[in-house]
Amino acid sequence: MNTNKNSYTLIYSIVMVVVVAFLLSFVSSALKERQTANVELDKKKQILNALQIDWAGQDAGALFDKYIVNGLVINSDAKVLKESKDATFNIEITKEMSKPLEQRELPVFVADVDGETKYIVNLAGSGLWGALWGYLALDSDRNTIYGAYFSHASETPGLGANIAEKPFQEQFKGKHILNSANEFVSVAVMKAGTRADGMEQVDGISGGTITSKGVETMLYNSLVQYDKFFQQTTEGGNN
């Protein structure tokens, strides 16, 4: 074949595109299982973070299996639809939150920490530049916050991105999401020196007001779905 012809160049280009496409497809397929495993492990680490479990230097997967003893899939009326750790783990909360409330399947992880029951729920929202997400762990009264974990896609380093740091997250420990009348109110994220009416609060990130308010909105919108579940104590409701 005459390598100086345009036809040669065209055929050569087509062959190279096909070969490269095949190789990329092969590599993607070969790595898919590992990528999925890494995503699942990262999710388990985030849930452990909400439970205040230090997994550094340890097998996070084994710790997750140790502390997460059950999983519930409930609806907005607090009816248990499924009781399975796997089913609970596989729910994508952002997809559920796009559905009408009565059609949502809401995940609740049940943990045993030093003999005490904790409930962990998913959080999803948006900040200044992109998605926010996290997990909130509650004591057995389904009211007192045991621990919180937040993360983000693209908030500003040193400002809004500080929601992913422990000093911000640890403020939530011991706060209550129900008021004295046992009504759901969530937790406010306020500028230092200001006060929220009728609800407990934490200090927002200095210089990260929009992201801080994004966390506040995420908390309310994510938790209000579970309103009836929170009304049920472990003594009187579904476990």
Side-chain angles (χ1 to χ4, degrees):
M1 181 180 292
N2 188 344
T3 59
N4 293 319
K5 289 186 176 181
N6 290 336
S7 58
Y8 174 83
T9 302
L10 179 61
I11 294 172
Y12 180 82
S13 298
I14 292 173
V15 170
M16 289 302 298
V17 168
V18 171
V19 170
V20 170
F22 173 78
L23 290 175
L24 288 175
S25 177
F26 175 79
V27 171
S28 177
S29 298
L31 295 178
K32 185 175 181 179
E33 185 174 340
R34 182 179 297 179
Q35 291 171 340
T36 299
N38 287 338
V39 170
E40 291 179 351
L41 182 60
D42 185 59
K43 182 175 179 177
K44 291 177 180 180
K45 290 178 179 179
Q46 293 180 37
I47 294 170
L48 291 173
N49 285 337
L51 281 172
Q52 312 295 295
I53 304 298
D54 183 7
W55 48 264
Q58 302 185 67
D59 185 339
L63 286 175
F64 179 87
D65 291 334
K66 173 184 176 181
Y67 287 101
I68 304 299
V69 295
N70 201 359
L72 306 175
V73 179
I74 66 173
N75 62 16
S76 58
D77 288 325
K79 178 182 178 181
V80 177
L81 306 176
K82 302 173 187 175
E83 189 168 348
S84 162
K85 285 173 64 173
D86 289 340
T88 303
F89 190 86
N90 291 329
I91 288 179
E92 295 184 33
I93 193 62
T94 52
K95 288 185 178 180
E96 295 303 317
M97 291 177 69
S98 68
K99 301 176 183 178
L101 179 61
E102 63 275 9
Q103 296 179 16
R104 297 176 192 175
E105 294 188 345
L106 306 172
V108 181
F109 296 95
V110 184
D112 184 316
V113 180
D114 297 328
E116 297 182 358
T117 299
K118 310 295 179 186
Y119 297 99
I120 306 97
V121 296
N122 297 58
L123 309 171
S126 58
L128 175 59
W129 302 113
L132 305 179
W133 65 87
Y135 295 90
L136 196 75
L138 300 168
D139 285 335
S140 60
D141 62 2
R142 307 185 188 186
N143 179 21
T144 308
I145 296 175
Y146 179 74
Y149 173 80
F150 310 118
S151 193
H152 62 91
S154 53
E155 298 307 294
T156 307
L159 297 174
N162 285 350
I163 65 167
E165 302 298 326
K166 282 189 175 182
F168 177 73
Q169 297 173 6
E170 288 177 345
Q171 294 183 87
F172 289 84
K173 186 173 178 63
K175 302 296 183 183
H176 299 89
I177 61 172
L178 306 178
N179 63 17
S180 58
N182 205 43
E183 300 167 330
F184 172 74
V185 291
S186 192
V187 175
V189 183
M190 304 295 292
K191 184 177 180 180
T194 60
R195 300 296 302 172
D197 294 328
M199 59 198 304
E200 296 183 15
Q201 67 185 67
V202 301
D203 291 337
I205 302 294
S206 178
T209 301
I210 296 178
T211 306
S212 297
K213 285 301 178 182
V215 171
E216 179 181 278
T217 301
M218 174 177 69
L219 283 169
Y220 185 88
N221 290 342
S222 298
L223 298 179
V224 72
Q225 316 174 93
Y226 295 89
D227 185 13
K228 293 185 179 179
F229 177 78
F230 298 145
Q231 306 297 329
Q232 300 175 337
T233 65
T234 52
E235 291 76 23
N238 296 320
N239 294 312

